[in-house]
Amino acid sequence: MPSGLTAQARRLREWLTAHPGLDPVDIGHSLATGRAQLSHRAVVVGRDRDELMAGLDQVISGDGGPGVLLNSGARAGSVAFVIPAPDKQSLEPARQLLATAPAFAARMEECAQALAPHTGWNLLDVVNGAQGAPALDDPGVFGPALFAVQVSLAALWRAYGVEPDAVVGEPGAERATEVIDGRRTLEDAAHTVATASATGAADTLREALRTHIEQGFRAFVEISPQPSLTASLTGAVTAAGGDPAEFMITEAPGDPDGLATFLHTLAQAFVGGVRVDWSPSFAGRDARTVELPTYPFQRQRYWLDETKDGPAAPPPERSAPAPAEDSRGTFTVLLRRAHVENAIPEAVPMVVAASRFRPSFSSTAELGGAPGSVLAAEGAASPAVICVPSFLAGSGPHQFARLASEFTPRLRTSALVMPGFGKSRLLPASWTVAIEAMADATLAAAADKPFFLVGHSVGGLVAQAIAERVRHTGHSARGVVMIDTYDIDVRSEREALFVWAMSEILDRDPTGLVVNDNNLMAMGAYLRLYDEWTPGGCEVPTLAVRAVAADTPLNLPVEPVWKTADTSESVLADHFSILEDKAATTALVVGDWFARMSTP
């Protein structure tokens, strides 16, 4: 059981004990819709305050139960909806959902209208058991009814924010699979669904799942009123060489009960790492947002706009000792000590504040001869590739060396030196002047040739800002590639991701080769200025390259969100190896996209 999750449950338990008048609906609403969805999660289900408090006690002790779903240990990855073949089962949960789940009911009405001309009976009457309606045990009735229920359940999952990266169906579920995946319209499928029969070998689903597992899928959501494929899905994972403990596979709760069954399955997905929008659960209930204890890492924001303190659980000890104070600088030693004590959020505000007193530049003319980029690899001059690093201390042009060497054919690849890093000691006084300087460096490196921008981590968003800027000067990038970029609006999630990434960088740089006081001051400046930027929309093609299915899980605190990319591709890597050990695969994916974008 993650110590941070236990600590947060304990803080919440103490808070609720001290505030007995809080409405459980308001508490649930505030927790479910007003908080960052971090990687370590738990869900407590209860009918009243006493049951919810008892559930919190179970979370604190690390004991799961019927009403307590704990962090599953599943690794981050893509989500697939799995559609079972028609099989005799009760559709009673569907009848209950018609009365309790508006998104489900609306889609069922659409299915009823589409099926009616081809069946001669009304779907809603059948599911509700209306007098005179055909019986569900008639195979000619059950198949179309289950088809409609599956299509409508998929709509319900989507209403709660779960959007699949793929839809996989058993033989016999082809029509539902095609409609859910958007490859066939509901109206087109309706006239064939009643007579559709199961076809294909018994191992068709297993082979399909094997392929998706190899592609980085880690969450399999069964779209069924009563999930029954748990054993089959677990077996498919094992057959593909995976560890079922690292996958999220939905399973049926003990007592099927319409909305309760769905919410329980949704909670399984949530604690298994799937991003969920819980707001539909509170629609029409007059739920209010109430004050609750913050996460331990939220005690002080490193953007310096809030300083509200609260109690925190003692941080777990790290085994590595902090280095003694040496030539690496006071702030470097301070941050490393904070890292050892799991207290990076407390140290970063000092770094951010100190950056304000370093020399800065307000116009690009003040930079003089400071280098704007370095050459990472020679190659064909067109198109040029301009790489943009993250502004975290420890990042820099060196990160792109392996990627640049793997492009086939070789392309002339440069990497920007962000103002304030490297030999450029002047820090930007504003976000605008920082982007202006990097836009100038981009155009100089491109040397009047067509060019692509490639950014890693938050550098992907910086690359977008550069693309916006050069467009205003009459130039245009051919495209922007964002390599494992997290496009996150929720500030608390950005902060959690920063703390995680900085911890990983410090672990990877034990000798202090790339993390030093100068780079920390530059990082502090960019953290301070980043909020000045409001994306104006990237009007060039964009590619998001996602790192999935790492060989060694890195326990990222948030899930990636890819809102701004036109195209998304996956690489079997983690956030760092995508530019290191897996650079050849990344270069192949990016190079293929370059070729497509360069073809008239």
Side-chain angles (χ1 to χ4, degrees):
M1 183 70 177
S3 58
L5 184 59
T6 301
Q8 181 62 16
R10 185 177 293 110
R11 288 157 64 89
L12 180 60
R13 178 70 164 83
E14 293 169 353
W15 182 274
L16 297 181
T17 300
H19 299 80
L22 289 176
D23 186 333
V25 173
D26 294 339
I27 296 168
H29 174 262
S30 302
L31 290 170
T33 66
R35 294 297 182 90
Q37 294 192 8
L38 307 185
S39 60
H40 296 151
R41 309 169 181 178
V43 173
V44 176
V45 180
R47 291 168 293 184
D48 53 37
R49 179 184 175 86
D50 290 342
E51 288 188 2
L52 294 172
M53 294 291 274
L56 275 178
D57 289 336
Q58 287 182 257
V59 175
I60 293 168
S61 64
D63 298 326
V68 178
L69 292 88
L70 301 179
N71 192 74
S72 70
R75 287 160 48 185
S78 301
V79 179
F81 282 177
V82 182
I83 318 301
D87 186 22
K88 289 298 182 183
Q89 58 179 288
S90 172
L91 295 187
E92 175 61 19
R95 186 185 67 79
Q96 297 171 2
L97 285 172
L98 283 173
T100 56
F104 178 85
R107 189 59 165 158
M108 283 287 282
E109 177 62 38
E110 293 174 354
C111 290
Q113 294 178 11
L115 287 169
H118 310 289
T119 61
W121 41 262
N122 182 278
L123 171 69
L124 302 183
D125 288 345
V126 167
V127 175
N128 284 318
Q131 186 174 3
L136 274 171
D137 58 6
D138 181 338
V141 175
F142 179 81
L146 181 61
F147 159 84
V149 169
Q150 290 172 330
V151 168
S152 302
L153 278 172
L156 184 57
W157 277 91
R158 284 177 160 129
Y160 278 80
V162 181
E163 186 65 36
D165 298 290
V167 182
V168 184
E170 280 194 302
E174 291 86 356
R175 303 294 85 75
T177 301
E178 292 167 351
V179 172
I180 293 169
D181 202 23
R183 291 180 281 120
R184 191 168 187 174
T185 66
L186 177 61
E187 292 72 19
D188 185 44
H191 79 278
T192 59
V193 70
T195 57
S197 59
T199 58
D203 60 352
T204 300
L205 177 62
R206 177 167 290 194
E207 283 304 310
L209 290 175
R210 178 189 291 274
T211 299
H212 284 82
I213 290 167
E214 293 172 349
Q215 293 174 346
F217 282 75
R218 288 296 179 271
F220 296 101
V221 175
E222 183 179 346
I223 303 299
S224 172
Q226 293 179 272
S228 59
L229 293 179
T230 305
S232 297
L233 294 173
T234 302
V237 168
T238 302
D243 180 357
E246 297 179 349
F247 289 74
M248 195 297 298
I249 299 172
T250 53
E251 58 185 61
D255 299 318
D257 182 22
L259 186 60
T261 294
F262 169 75
L263 292 177
H264 187 278
T265 311
L266 190 68
Q268 290 176 9
F270 177 72
V271 299
V274 176
R275 180 176 290 269
V276 172
D277 176 6
W278 291 100
S279 58
S281 295
F282 301 94
R285 304 182 70 178
D286 296 325
R288 300 178 301 115
T289 299
V290 295
E291 184 178 2
L292 294 172
T294 59
Y295 295 123
F297 68 78
Q298 289 178 309
R299 285 171 289 166
Q300 189 173 29
R301 295 187 182 277
Y302 45 78
W303 271 268
L304 300 177
D305 60 347
E306 292 184 22
T307 58
K308 183 174 181 179
D309 291 346
E317 295 184 358
R318 288 181 177 265
S319 57
E325 187 165 351
D326 55 24
S327 60
R328 282 172 280 189
T330 301
F331 289 103
T332 305
V333 173
L334 178 150
L335 192 65
R336 286 189 177 277
R337 166 55 66 182
H339 174 49
V340 169
E341 297 183 3
N342 276 10
I344 285 180
E346 298 176 40
V348 171
M350 289 181 274
V351 175
V352 172
S355 72
R356 298 182 61 186
F357 303 101
R358 283 291 183 98
S360 63
F361 66 96
S362 299
S363 71
T364 56
E366 299 173 52
L367 289 176
S373 67
V374 296
L375 185 63
E378 282 285 9
S382 179
V385 180
I386 315 298
C387 299
V388 185
S390 160
F391 52 66
L392 298 188
S395 302
H398 62 279
Q399 292 181 294
F400 296 97
R402 292 185 66 171
L403 179 71
S405 69
E406 296 287 355
F407 284 127
T408 303
R410 284 289 184 90
L411 299 172
R412 182 177 175 83
T413 304
S414 302
L416 298 185
V417 178
M418 300 187 80
F421 288 85
K423 296 180 180 180
S424 174
R425 297 292 184 252
L426 292 177
L427 302 180
S430 68
W431 178 262
T432 298
V433 76
I435 298 302
E436 287 178 356
M438 286 185 275
D440 290 348
T442 295
L443 294 176
D448 295 325
K449 302 294 185 182
F451 65 92
F452 289 94
L453 286 157
V454 178
H456 175 245
S457 191
V458 74
L461 299 181
V462 177
Q464 285 194 43
I466 295 171
E468 293 174 21
R469 173 62 189 172
V470 298
R471 184 170 56 84
H472 290 307
T473 65
H475 301 81
S476 180
R478 272 196 178 171
V480 172
V481 178
M482 297 172 286
I483 299 178
D484 216 37
T485 295
Y486 283 64
D487 181 18
I488 297 172
D489 295 326
V490 180
R491 174 172 287 177
S492 60
E493 293 191 359
R494 292 206 306 267
E495 295 176 8
L497 184 64
F498 166 80
V499 171
W500 168 83
M502 201 65 236
S503 296
E504 290 290 328
I505 289 171
L506 289 169
D507 283 340
R508 289 162 175 263
D509 183 41
T511 62
L513 182 64
V514 292
V515 178
N516 53 54
D517 272 17
N518 287 326
N519 286 342
L520 285 176
M521 289 298 99
M523 178 185 76
Y526 282 93
L527 287 174
R528 179 165 41 84
L529 300 175
Y530 182 66
D531 277 353
E532 294 180 9
W533 181 47
T534 300
C538 194
E539 298 190 8
V540 299
T542 50
L543 168 69
V545 182
R546 309 168 53 175
V548 297
D551 294 334
T552 302
L554 286 175
N555 298 317
L556 271 68
V558 296
E559 296 300 317
V561 181
W562 313 98
K563 300 190 300 294
T564 57
D566 301 321
T567 307
S568 178
E569 299 284 355
S570 297
V571 172
L572 299 180
D574 64 42
H575 187 69
F576 295 96
S577 68
I578 197 168
L579 291 181
E580 297 167 355
D581 297 346
K582 308 297 184 181
T585 304
T586 306
L588 179 63
V589 169
V590 174
D592 286 348
W593 187 76
F594 286 168
R596 295 198 301 272
M597 293 302 102
S598 300
T599 302

